[in-house]
Amino acid sequence: MNRKFTLITIILLLVSGCVPLAPQNTPAPRPTNLPTEIPKSSENSGSFSETRSTAITPYLSPTLTPDFNTGVIQNCISVKPELPKQHPYTGKIVFETLPPQDERVYSFFDLSSGKATEIPGRNYSYLSVSPDRSMYAYKNWDENQLEVYGSDGKIIRKLPWKQNWGSIDGWIDNQHLIIVMAVIDVPGFVKYPRAITILNPLENKEKILEPNYPNIDIGNTNVNWPYMGTTVYNPSLSRVVYPGSLENSPSGGYQGFILYGIPEKAVLAEFDNPYWSGEGPYWSLDGSHLLLLVNREFYIVSPDGIPEVITQMNPLEGKRNYTAEFYSWSPDNKTVAFRLLSYETEEFSLAFLDTKTGMITNTCILAGFEPDYYTTFPYPIWSKDGKSLVIAANYQKDPPGNDVVLVNLAEKSAFIIAKNLSPVGWVENP
């Protein structure tokens, strides 16, 4: 997706000052083969759902009737113009100014008081909130340092920003930040694939994870998934997913996702996919399962590499109904919120995936016009209890702007809480 590449290029320019031009990749034809399971390990075995078969059937028979249920139901939620004076929501929503802006401005919207407070100064970036919502961190460019704060806004830690640190790309758990490295290979060129630093900012301890894995892609500088750079690790750092060339693909020669067992030093599974044209893989917050979008269907993959297709968005071969982007796990690891694209209406809307049943619910809350690029990718942001979330919606082109909508899943209600801002986090007291 070009808007993602634009954001990535901006980040690389900030850290290196020069970025080599990479050839544009032409997405491969839609593969009709299945994910390939490589010999399994014994670690963390178990089925994600005891009631579902692990048989892989990403495409159903093309002889099905045209009215076959695609596994997407519509349950529209009406968006009200503002929050009621009395409501149950707590904490602070973190906002970022929309592009074009010379400098990013972060602010905190207090849900209890309805007041917004800007972070002093203008030269910050990479703000990221911990999974338990108790801390947030960002880079202070003026002081060239990493700053970590508690949910109360009090600073916890300041660390000098190291020369080879590229960007904060999220948290791998409640104590450790993920920092994508920006090592200059030759003058003006950032080394690819990029290493990852797992940093405990409170103890000032870091672990550098070099991307030295079998068949990892070494030439496509466009592959830089949000939050994890090139390599996507589970919280225990025992599994990693990365883009690369496949050795056991039935189709022969396709590139895609590779799941690698670090203690076993073995490839556990491969998945055909033109990885440069889709979303990256995401581990559940507890690391028990991996979520993949392969050939426009969601897969759940166990740490052993056992894949299971759980959706039927496109059951008929050759007919495209839906695809997905910008997805995030709920805190209880049972639901995935994402933007659903209907090929029929050409509209993106907020939807939810029940990972137990595979059913997708479309809320009809539209994303609207899609900007040429984002300063912050519009992933749904969950509350700590998983009962609500915040999304950017109703993007407009002229004049540019959007709504920020708070959605209550239990009550099936939604409210506009801000305009012309990008939500980037939700901090709450422990």
Side-chain angles (χ1 to χ4, degrees), residues 282-295:
Y282 291 90
W283 290 97
S284 56
L285 299 181
D286 62 2
S288 62
H289 286 83
L290 178 71
L291 181 71
L292 291 177
L293 186 70
V294 177
N295 305 323

Side-chain angles (χ1 to χ4, degrees), residues 116-294:
T117 304
E118 288 187 2
I119 295 178
R122 290 289 188 273
N123 205 5
Y124 305 110
S125 61
Y126 314 132
L127 190 150
S128 181
V129 178
S130 63
D132 65 0
R133 312 298 190 265
S134 66
M135 294 187 291
Y136 61 92
Y138 56 72
K139 179 179 180 180
N140 183 331
W141 288 84
D142 291 332
E143 303 296 332
N144 195 36
Q145 63 188 13
L146 168 69
E147 298 181 2
V148 182
Y149 293 80
S151 58
D152 58 1
K154 296 180 180 179
I155 193 160
I156 297 175
R157 186 79 179 186
K158 295 181 180 180
L159 295 174
W161 191 268
K162 294 187 177 182
Q163 184 177 3
N164 59 0
W165 287 358
S167 61
I168 300 171
D169 277 16
W171 300 70
I172 201 163
D173 56 28
N174 294 323
Q175 291 80 40
H176 295 87
L177 283 165
I178 304 164
I179 297 180
V180 175
M181 307 290 279
V183 178
I184 305 301
D185 194 9
V186 295
F189 288 76
V190 174
K191 183 180 179 181
Y192 185 90
R194 301 172 72 182
I196 295 259
T197 287
I198 304 299
L199 172 70
N200 185 325
L202 304 188
E203 299 180 2
N204 193 17
K205 295 180 180 179
E206 65 177 309
K207 181 177 183 178
I208 298 177
L209 304 174
E210 295 288 348
N212 300 323
Y213 301 112
N215 299 326
I216 191 169
D217 180 88
I218 60 173
N220 186 349
T221 55
N222 285 334
V223 178
N224 192 325
W225 294 320
Y227 300 128
M228 292 287 193
T230 305
T231 46
V232 182
Y233 292 87
N234 66 348
S236 67
L237 304 182
S238 62
R239 297 289 185 266
V240 61
V241 188
Y242 54 88
S245 56
L246 310 184
E247 291 185 348
N248 295 277
S249 168
S251 60
Y254 273 112
Q255 294 181 303
F257 305 115
I258 298 174
L259 174 62
Y260 185 79
I262 295 175
E264 299 86 351
K265 297 182 179 179
V267 172
L268 304 179
E270 297 178 337
F271 305 90
D272 282 353
N273 207 46
Y275 53 79
W276 55 84
S277 66
E279 289 283 310
Y282 291 90
W283 290 97
S284 56
L285 299 181
D286 62 2
S288 62
H289 286 83
L290 178 71
L291 181 71
L292 291 177
L293 186 70
V294 177

Side-chain angles (χ1 to χ4, degrees), residues 36 42 65 76 86 98 100 118 128 207 220 268 292 300 409:
T36 304
S42 59
T65 57
C76 296
Q86 300 295 326
L98 290 176
E118 288 187 2
S128 181
K207 181 177 183 178
N220 186 349
L268 304 179
L292 291 177
I300 292 291
L409 277 68

Side-chain angles (χ1 to χ4, degrees), residues 380-403:
I381 297 169
W382 291 87
S383 61
K384 183 170 64 175
D385 61 12
K387 296 179 180 179
S388 306
L389 55 76
V390 172
I391 60 165
N394 193 29
Y395 280 100
Q396 304 162 24
K397 184 175 183 180
D398 190 17
N402 71 297
D403 296 330

Side-chain angles (χ1 to χ4, degrees), residues 294-316:
V294 177
N295 305 323
R296 305 183 188 92
E297 299 292 354
F298 279 114
Y299 282 74
I300 292 291
V301 183
S302 75
D304 287 335
I306 301 174
E308 179 181 0
V309 63
I310 61 171
T311 57
Q312 297 180 354
M313 292 187 286
N314 306 280
L316 301 181

Side-chain angles (χ1 to χ4, degrees), residues 77 79 339-340 342 345-350 362-369 391-395 402-403 405:
I77 298 177
V79 180
R339 293 207 328 194
L340 178 73
S342 167
T345 64
E346 298 183 348
E347 291 179 327
F348 287 97
S349 57
L350 173 67
N362 180 4
T363 68
C364 312
I365 299 176
L366 299 179
F369 168 79
I391 60 165
N394 193 29
Y395 280 100
N402 71 297
D403 296 330
V405 178

